[in-house]
Amino acid sequence: MKNNGFLPQKLDNKFSMCTHLVGGCVEANQLRALTDAAEKYVAGHVHITSRQGAEIPFVDMDDVENITEDMEDAGIFGGATGQKVRGVVACQGITVCNHGLINCPELAARIDEIYFGTYASKKFKIAITGCPASCMKPQENDFGIMGVVRPEWIENNCVACGLCEKICKADAISIDNGQLDIDSNSCIFCGECISSCKKSAINGAESGYAIFVGGKVGRFPRSCDKPIEFTDENRLFSILEKTLAYYRKYGQDGERFGDLLDRRGFAEYRDTVL
Ligand code: SF4
Ligand code: SF4
Ligand code: SF4
């Protein structure tokens, strides 16, 4: 039952059906199928989870097979539970959000296709957020991905209006005598200066990804580590692959990734994987 996404409830013979939705994306026909199934098999109730999933609770044991078939006809399959990689969560990113720097749902779909439901020592959560505003809280996931952009000043276009200096929440920009300086140590690569400049005097020289590892909440929360401030897509995929391989090799049964980092040391992980 668990392998197909059905979790036992408090009530005997009642199960909550967890569905696998990637990056918070669901088609209209799938929403219809969910509501149809909720009305057909339970009291018309669907629960939206904290990880962008949809659950149908109160499914009777006798209806499990039929509701599974109805959902699969609409392209909705059971979610992952237990010692597996969970469905990837994501914000809408660059195609919808003004602040977005990467296409989060598209990246989520590609990562999910490779890793969803594969073995891990315990649950392994991946979140993708489109910019440093961090709406998807990548810092609270086993593997968090954040879209970033490196700003570059175009001197010839700049009229030294000072707007970018005021906009930058990291105080990374200073203008002195018509010369603009971007402090790369303070910059959080959010791209707000790029979108705010009306003279196209700051470009996005390079887009990429920041990576967080080992974050979790739950009974014993752990702050994430941040092994990578800025990398490209090839390296992102490589690091994710190696991180999961590291977790599978060294993780003890039931050990979360952050706890593994604490046991073996973040530096050892970093040296092995990076
Ligand atoms: S993280 Fe950034 S891109 Fe994603 S929803 Fe929030 S503000 Fe928009
Ligand atoms: S907002 Fe644009 S034009 Fe104004 S100081 Fe910044 S870079 Fe120059
Ligand atoms: S990218 Fe963000 S943090 Fe960096 S200089 Fe521009 S506004 Fe400031």
Side-chain angles (χ1 to χ4, degrees):
M1 297 287 279
K2 268 184 120 177
N3 277 340
N4 292 320
F6 287 90
L7 294 175
Q9 286 185 214
K10 277 188 172 182
L11 297 171
D12 283 347
N13 289 327
K14 296 289 184 190
F15 293 83
S16 194
M17 181 189 190
C18 314
T19 58
H20 175 212
L21 303 177
V22 185
C25 297
V26 55
E27 301 297 327
N29 71 307
Q30 294 176 317
L31 276 177
R32 261 182 234 115
L34 278 165
T35 54
D36 287 349
E39 285 175 347
K40 186 171 168 186
Y41 296 103
V42 297
H45 181 79
V46 178
H47 175 72
I48 303 301
T49 73
S50 59
R51 286 191 67 83
Q52 301 183 324
E55 277 183 29
I56 301 179
F58 304 108
V59 177
D60 197 272
M61 172 83 99
D62 295 338
D63 291 327
V64 163
E65 209 170 314
N66 288 335
I67 196 172
T68 300
E69 279 176 16
D70 287 2
M71 289 291 92
E72 288 183 0
D73 286 347
I76 299 175
F77 298 86
T81 60
Q83 292 172 286
K84 289 178 182 171
V85 177
R86 300 293 202 267
V88 179
V89 298
C91 71
Q92 301 196 81
I94 197 169
T95 52
V96 175
C97 181
N98 279 334
H99 303 282
L101 302 172
I102 56 171
N103 188 335
C104 304
E106 190 266 343
L107 182 62
R110 281 192 287 143
I111 291 176
D112 196 271
E113 192 174 354
I114 302 169
Y115 296 110
F116 170 74
T118 58
Y119 172 77
S121 300
K122 198 168 170 64
K123 63 179 83 167
F124 191 85
K125 297 178 176 177
I126 302 172
I128 304 173
T129 208
C131 78
S134 293
C135 297
M136 290 311 299
K137 306 183 182 83
Q139 301 89 343
E140 294 180 358
N141 281 256
D142 298 283
F143 196 92
I145 300 166
M146 173 191 284
V148 284
V149 64
R150 200 185 299 280
E152 180 184 55
W153 183 47
I154 312 295
E155 183 172 3
N156 286 345
N157 293 353
C158 182
V159 294
C161 69
L163 179 61
C164 56
E165 194 179 19
K166 289 197 190 92
I167 290 271
C168 177
K169 292 184 174 70
D171 290 330
I173 297 181
S174 55
I175 302 172
D176 186 21
N177 217 6
Q179 291 296 301
L180 186 145
D181 180 62
I182 301 175
D183 177 6
S184 58
N185 291 321
S186 307
C187 180
I188 58 168
F189 309 119
C190 67
E192 293 296 304
C193 53
I194 300 168
S195 51
S196 67
C197 177
K198 307 292 180 238
K199 299 292 178 186
S200 302
I202 306 184
N203 274 352
E206 186 189 6
S207 290
Y209 307 89
I211 296 174
F212 305 87
V213 294
K216 62 174 182 145
V217 283
R219 293 179 185 85
F220 304 101
R222 181 185 187 276
S223 298
C224 66
D225 294 291
K226 191 178 184 186
I228 294 287
E229 294 275 348
F230 206 111
T231 193
D232 62 21
E233 188 174 299
N234 283 342
R235 192 147 179 257
L236 164 69
F237 273 85
S238 166
I239 291 170
L240 176 54
E241 173 71 23
K242 288 178 186 168
T243 296
L244 268 164
Y246 181 90
Y247 188 29
R248 287 167 183 145
K249 181 170 180 182
Y250 296 111
Q252 294 173 347
D253 196 37
E255 183 179 46
R256 283 292 293 271
F257 186 62
D259 296 328
L260 168 63
L261 293 181
D262 285 341
R263 183 165 58 81
R264 292 179 64 89
F266 173 70
E268 199 267 349
Y269 156 79
R270 187 189 56 212
D271 294 346
T272 306
V273 166
L274 303 187

